[in-house]
Amino acid sequence: MTHRTIHLFRKGLRLHDNPSLVGALESSEVVYPVYVLDRAFLEGSMATGALRWRFLLQSLQDLQSSLAARGSLLYVLQGSHEAVLRQLIQQWSITQLTFDTEVEPFYTQLDDHLCALCKELGVVVHSCVAHTLYDVKRIIKANGGEPPLTYKKFLHVLSILGEPDTPARDITLQDFQKCKTPVEDGREEQYQVPSLEDLGIEVDVEVLWPGGESHGLKRLEKHIESQGWVVNFSKPRTIPNSLLPSTTGLSPYFSLGCLSVRSFYYRLSNIYAQSKNHSLPPVSLQGQVLWREFFYTVASATPNFTKMAGNPICLQIHWYENQAALDKWRTAQTGFPWIDAIMTQLRQEGWIHHLARHAVACFLTRGDLWISWEEGMKVFEKYLLDADYSVNAGNWMWLSASAFFHQYTRIFCPVRFGRRTDPDGQYLRKYLPVLKNFPSKYIYEPWTAPLEVQLEAGCVIGKDYPLPMVNHLEVSQRNTALMRQVRSEQENTAQLTRDVADDPMEIGMKRECRDQRPSDDFSEKTERANKRFSPEGEHKSLSCNWASDTIRLPELSGEVM
Ligand code: FAD
């Protein structure tokens, strides 16, 4: 049978590796590409800040242009999925609905509704997995019906399953010549992507991360070009405070499906195949997308994954409820320049480096403020361009040592961590211009500067910039003791997500640290990095010994680093 098909875009805003769209084109006489801008659904499922709205609209515009270049059209309609599709199915005499399978609870619920609607209207549903490397249900099945709860076990299950499916072929002009999109002459206007103004959303910061498949592919190509960088990539050795990203910066594109992780994975495999040596999971680039896959798998089968209560893998902790302290963290007013600069970058640009995420997440939770990871997760969800249901919650549980990570005595120092890779504080001067005239010696702890130095810098601490909101050493010691107590009381829960070898990132990191000479000049390296990084994101691997920027608390390990 040849169908009349609606292909429904949700995530997966791309024409490469889009197997359900390929399926639609191969089984139909007409295909209508549709995006339903269901604001209640989008805002009800995850907090969406203005920057992510802009990224989404740009991605839709990009998709609309790519479809137009292939003689087709993207029909963008506002309203609820059910109401819009019910009307279109009848109006266009549709016989088939295609879309990508998603795993988040709000998508599975939506899919149930769409399937029921299609059943009622006699429409066939065809959906494929394309947002992850594997169908996560296959991984769970291969692990005996339970999600593997540690990365090591997860890799073991993947080794049984073999490589992921290869990406679907690219969609071309010929596809739409064989299978037309009936474009209603002169009526395309009504299907245009709405503007931010139309939606009443204000954004007044420049676009650093343009949304869309073509920008994502351009960024990917830039990285793939640099094969040495790809094969040597080692996550703990990248720099959190370089002025341009020292990692790929592809996460916003993966998050919305402007880029396919499978295509990325196979591009990396091809490069690895041509080199004698390459880094390995967990620290390699393929290792990074496998972390994503890991969190998707666990999230898909764990009740209340984005919450502490009712979440069986998460330690149940009596976090403090302190709105004033949370607000200081959120609005970059902690008085620790390293933390405040990161939070400023997050709010202004929507992307921060992984280790910068570590620093602020640890500070909010087990490090300093002892505030729930759920609060931090919600703030990240609102501001991150790459905000992702599974990955965000998984990493917040990790950083707060509520699950997955167990070396809770390792606490990041909010002064030394950033100074290690950027001793002059270029990153701080950029994001906290109020401190820009401080001498490097004081910039990470400006409250220690004599008053005359503060006056000369034009910034008096306590007046023009806040005093530190906590005594880091005191609160981190108190918190470690609290955490030790929680873990002894909830030993069984803690063990669920613990490998015998424990944290594999730490293992990778330690090896790196042994290889690293203490005399390495990080300042020079950071400067070189900033010179090399082109705005399009061409990066070189640089070393960063972040292990020594954590404190192991004395009463627990007898060591202060
Ligand atoms: P690269 O290092 O270049 O890695 C390539 C890709 O691998 C990334 O784009 C991403 O898709 C994936 N990846 C990398 N690190 C991780 C990781 N730790 N876990 C899962 N996937 C990973 N990432 C998100 O995509 N969305 C989030 O909402 C998110 N929230 C986070 C919250 C916290 C507290 C922390 C510590 C990390 C979070 N991360 C999140 C993971 C990670 O920080 C980002 O994926 C990464 O920094 C994105 O930059 P990149 O694309 O340059 O990564």
Side-chain angles (χ1 to χ4, degrees), residues 47-66:
T48 309
L51 290 179
R52 200 151 88 255
W53 269 112
R54 181 168 72 182
F55 191 86
L56 169 65
L57 298 185
Q58 288 170 344
S59 301
L60 290 173
Q61 275 154 357
D62 186 65
L63 184 61
Q64 203 157 49
S65 311
S66 304

Side-chain angles (χ1 to χ4, degrees), residues 46 209 219 223 229 233 235 238 245-255 261 264 268 283-296 351-362 376-377 380-381 384-400 505 539:
M46 282 176 71
W209 300 85
R219 196 172 183 101
H223 286 94
W229 183 78
F233 183 94
K235 187 63 161 283
T238 56
S246 61
T247 50
T248 65
L250 293 175
S251 52
Y253 302 95
F254 290 135
S255 170
V261 278
F264 183 54
L268 295 173
V283 296
S284 63
L285 267 178
Q286 264 185 356
Q288 302 314 301
V289 287
L290 291 170
W291 280 114
R292 177 181 184 274
E293 196 79 4
F294 170 68
F295 288 125
Y296 264 78
W351 186 91
I352 48 177
H353 187 280
H354 183 60
L355 298 178
R357 299 179 200 214
H358 274 233
V360 294
C362 182
M377 180 193 71
F380 268 32
E381 189 174 296
L384 278 176
L385 288 172
D386 60 33
D388 182 291
Y389 173 90
S390 314
V391 178
N392 199 20
N395 276 286
W396 271 98
M397 277 188 263
W398 177 297
L399 258 298
S400 61
M505 283 297 255
H539 312 303

